[in-house]
Amino acid sequence: MLRNFADSLKQEFKGYNASKLTQDLMAGLTVAAVALPLALAFGVSSGADAAAGLITAIIAGLIMSTLAGGYYQISGPTGAMAAILMSLVATYGIDGVFIATLIAGILLLLAGLLRLGKLTAFIPAPVITGFTSGIAVIIALGQIDNFFGTYSEGTSAIAKVFSYGRLGFSPNMTAMLLGIFVVLFMVFFPKKWNAVIPASLLSIILATAVSMAMNLDVAVVGEIPKTLIPESRLTLSALDMKTVGALVTPAFSIAILGMIESLLCGASAGRMTGIRLNSNQELIAQGIGNILLPFFGGIPATAAIARTSVAVKSGAQTRLVGIFHAIGLLISMFLLAPVMSQIPLAALAGVLMVTAWRMNEWESIQYIFSHKFKGAMLEFVATMLATIIFDLTIAILVGVVIGLVFLVTRLSFIEINYENVDMSRMNVTDPVLCDRYKNAKVVYITGPMIFANTQAVADIATKVEGADTVLFSMRGVSNIDISCAQTLRELIESLREQGVDVALCGLPKHTMKMMHRTDLKDIIGEENFYWSVERVLLTNRPKVNKAA
């Protein structure tokens, strides 16, 4: 794995020159401009603070970009992760987040070392779309307080919303107007200008300038420490087995989300660049980064699709883009900390509201519902609701289980057709063969012969009554399990006891192996396995009148 990583680095930096360095530098600064408001916003929305989000983006950029499985991956705090952390902070405090991040990092590292990078391929697309929409709803609900300047209580977004019935809902008009301004600015900001300066950054600059100039009475971000080692960070003394045991489940959710987000981001960017992501190396990078982040006071980080796509579109050449983006954020921390501390939380909430809306995979959702794919619709809705009501782990489990039920239902479909043998269709005039098969039936089986289809196979006996020869055409049988193999064995034994001649035709290689593993070959004899029905009908076989 180390050798492969070293080889990929040699290939990546082959022919690197000053021109490519300039492209990487400019792309890195562009990504930093996009990442700055998002890092602050996701830090606040996670339940930590803006400084934690900024530190996370810096450390993730330095470490994860260096070790990433693709040069284009830009990591940092994300909205999806912030949605999970809200309830975690409310229950266990910020130290709980640090410990869960450490455990999640270890899990991700192990997943990479065990080469589990392809596991996300087994999660159906509607499930991923569903939990993305669920997370978007959680982010939006979690920003109601900051956006409207209100107060709520609860350990989850849903609980906070319901608490308004008890606590009342009295919006701060000044905060609300700032939030609405940011939302409208980002929505109507021309896309062509967005390539020059991100709408999110410019809207926050304007909102902060107005707030400072008019001395508005609104909640602000607060102090931004000029250090990467703040007082609020993980220390080894905070680790104890009781707390670690209680945080394993949320850590697993963080690890699963980190895996899904990072690998999906890599898959998307890989299509844009034509260079495939090394998924196992990416998990190792995510693991090491998340192990180190809590010791700097950071929250969990993953590869971010928005920042990665900006890097690619800005002309990124190597992984130095991620490092330059981190350095740009670090410089911003030291130079702009006093200004950033005055950013209104309502402005950041506005950015997150728009981000939550844009997180939804609207094209996929429209496709699923417009084409009325009932299974996909159920997977999407169930996963989204489970994400909102419960958590990511349960949501994915619910979605995958529903997907598997539909998959088994679809895969278990079997088609069985019957046809009387007509020798004249093959231009056969031999009276011996015509007489031999004058009362023969062909049973055409298409589909998997699995446990769900044993009754359909058993029912064949009633459909072939009166025939003295039954030919099973099984070219369309992709698989047969032990349940159906036993049912078929009993069916053939019953037919032979009645004096019916039986032959099996056109078995695929995998199905034939299963037949040989059973005792069917011994029951009907290897000579009664044929390549095709036609081969049987053109052979003057000795007729078996009675089973031995």
Side-chain angles (χ1 to χ4, degrees):
M1 194 172 281
L2 285 173
R3 191 186 312 115
N4 291 337
F5 181 60
D7 291 341
S8 67
L9 285 180
K10 289 179 183 178
Q11 185 65 32
E12 183 179 322
F13 285 93
K14 185 178 181 181
Y16 197 72
N17 51 35
S19 175
K20 290 185 176 182
L21 177 63
T22 302
Q23 284 183 276
D24 279 343
L25 179 60
M26 296 309 297
L29 294 177
T30 302
V31 175
V34 173
L36 179 59
L38 293 178
L40 296 172
F42 292 144
V44 171
S45 66
S46 68
D49 54 31
L54 188 57
I55 289 173
T56 300
I58 293 170
I59 300 300
L62 293 172
I63 297 172
M64 294 179 180
S65 294
T66 302
L67 302 174
Y71 75 87
Y72 36 72
Q73 293 283 81
I74 306 295
S75 296
T78 63
M81 195 64 77
I84 288 181
L85 298 181
M86 280 194 299
S87 59
L88 191 61
V89 170
T91 306
Y92 297 99
I94 192 64
D95 283 340
V97 173
F98 294 151
I99 296 172
T101 304
L102 173 64
I103 299 171
I106 294 171
L107 292 174
L108 285 167
L109 179 60
L110 290 174
L113 293 174
L114 295 174
R115 302 181 183 275
L116 301 180
K118 292 185 178 180
L119 278 182
T120 54
F122 295 95
I123 301 177
V127 173
I128 294 174
T129 303
F131 92 72
T132 301
S133 294
I135 285 170
V137 172
I138 292 174
I139 291 173
L141 294 178
Q143 289 308 302
I144 292 177
D145 279 353
N146 290 336
F147 191 90
F148 292 99
T150 55
Y151 173 75
S152 63
E153 295 176 348
T155 59
S156 68
I158 296 292
K160 288 183 177 182
V161 170
F162 280 116
S163 73
Y164 292 126
R166 175 170 48 86
L167 301 172
F169 187 80
S170 302
N172 179 324
M173 292 304 296
T174 304
M176 187 172 69
L177 288 173
L178 280 176
I180 292 173
F181 164 74
V182 170
V183 169
L184 294 176
F185 189 93
M186 289 182 66
V187 169
F188 293 105
F189 191 72
K191 288 185 178 180
K192 60 181 180 180
W193 295 356
N194 207 53
V196 179
I197 180 169
S200 57
L201 180 62
L202 185 55
S203 64
I204 284 179
I205 291 173
L206 293 175
T208 304
V210 169
S211 178
M212 293 176 68
M214 300 180 68
N215 195 26
L216 298 179
D217 183 21
V218 293
V220 296
V221 165
E223 184 183 359
I224 302 289
K226 297 181 180 180
T227 177
L228 290 179
I229 309 178
E231 291 184 10
S232 178
R233 66 182 190 278
L234 179 65
T235 58
L236 294 177
S237 60
L239 296 173
D240 64 85
M241 292 308 298
K242 184 178 180 180
T243 306
V244 169
L247 290 168
V248 168
T249 299
F252 183 75
S253 295
I254 292 171
I256 290 292
L257 179 58
M259 179 185 293
I260 293 172
E261 276 209 293
S262 298
L263 297 186
L264 287 181
C265 174
S268 175
R271 288 191 293 270
M272 293 170 64
T273 61
I275 299 176
R276 189 175 178 181
L277 177 77
N278 183 334
S279 56
N280 294 314
Q281 179 61 40
E282 179 63 23
L283 292 182
I284 290 174
Q286 295 295 326
I288 293 174
N290 280 295
I291 288 172
L292 296 176
L293 271 170
F295 293 101
F296 292 91
I299 57 179
T302 73
I305 293 177
R307 277 157 271 181
T308 298
S309 62
V310 169
V312 172
K313 293 175 182 177
S314 300
Q317 298 295 308
T318 68
R319 63 192 63 235
L320 289 179
V321 169
I323 297 173
F324 287 145
H325 126 273
I327 294 173
L329 292 176
L330 183 62
I331 293 172
S332 298
M333 173 187 280
F334 285 102
L335 296 182
L336 303 176
V339 176
M340 287 193 291
S341 67
Q342 296 303 310
I343 295 175
L345 292 181
L348 290 180
V351 170
L352 287 173
M353 289 289 191
V354 177
T355 301
W357 176 263
R358 292 174 176 173
M359 274 180 65
N360 289 280
E361 299 173 14
W362 293 114
E363 187 175 343
S364 297
I365 295 170
Q366 189 271 337
Y367 182 80
I368 290 171
F369 282 86
S370 64
H371 288 76
K372 295 181 173 61
F373 294 121
K374 295 180 181 178
M377 289 163 61
L378 179 59
E379 289 175 44
F380 169 80
V381 173
T383 305
M384 181 178 72
L385 292 177
T387 302
I388 297 170
I389 298 171
F390 303 110
D391 60 35
L392 174 71
T393 306
I394 294 176
I396 291 182
L397 183 61
V398 167
V400 169
V401 168
I402 293 174
L404 287 175
V405 170
F406 278 105
L407 177 64
V408 170
T409 302
R410 285 190 291 266
L411 291 182
S412 64
F413 175 76
I414 189 171
E415 185 177 348
I416 303 177
N417 294 307
Y418 304 87
E419 188 176 50
N420 293 322
V421 171
D422 184 358
M423 299 298 286
S424 64
R425 289 170 55 185
M426 297 188 299
N427 298 318
V428 175
T429 58
D430 185 336
V432 175
L433 290 178
C434 289
D435 183 68
R436 169 73 175 79
Y437 296 111
K438 68 179 180 181
N439 196 27
K441 275 186 178 289
V442 181
V443 180
Y444 295 95
I445 304 177
T446 304
M449 294 179 67
I450 59 175
F451 61 91
N453 298 318
T454 53
Q455 188 57 52
V457 174
D459 289 343
I460 292 175
T462 61
K463 302 291 186 179
V464 297
E465 285 183 359
D468 59 13
T469 301
V470 176
L471 309 177
F472 289 89
S473 177
M474 302 176 66
R475 194 176 301 278
V477 178
S478 57
N479 187 30
I480 183 168
D481 68 5
I482 185 61
S483 298
C484 249
Q486 286 179 323
T487 304
L488 182 62
R489 175 185 182 279
E490 292 168 3
L491 171 65
I492 292 174
E493 281 184 322
S494 175
L495 290 173
R496 287 173 63 84
E497 286 173 359
Q498 298 170 37
V500 178
D501 191 23
V502 178
L504 303 180
C505 312
L507 277 74
K509 186 176 180 180
H510 182 75
T511 309
M512 180 65 84
K513 281 184 178 179
M514 189 63 182
M515 291 297 189
H516 283 305
R517 290 179 63 188
T518 65
D519 56 358
L520 268 172
K521 183 178 70 171
D522 300 325
I523 292 173
I524 68 172
E526 192 167 1
E527 68 278 5
N528 287 312
F529 284 87
Y530 284 81
W531 174 248
S532 66
V533 171
E534 288 78 9
R535 184 73 60 86
V536 178
L537 297 176
L538 295 175
T539 303
N540 188 9
R541 302 159 56 244
K543 189 171 181 180
V544 178
N545 293 316
K546 197 72 173 175

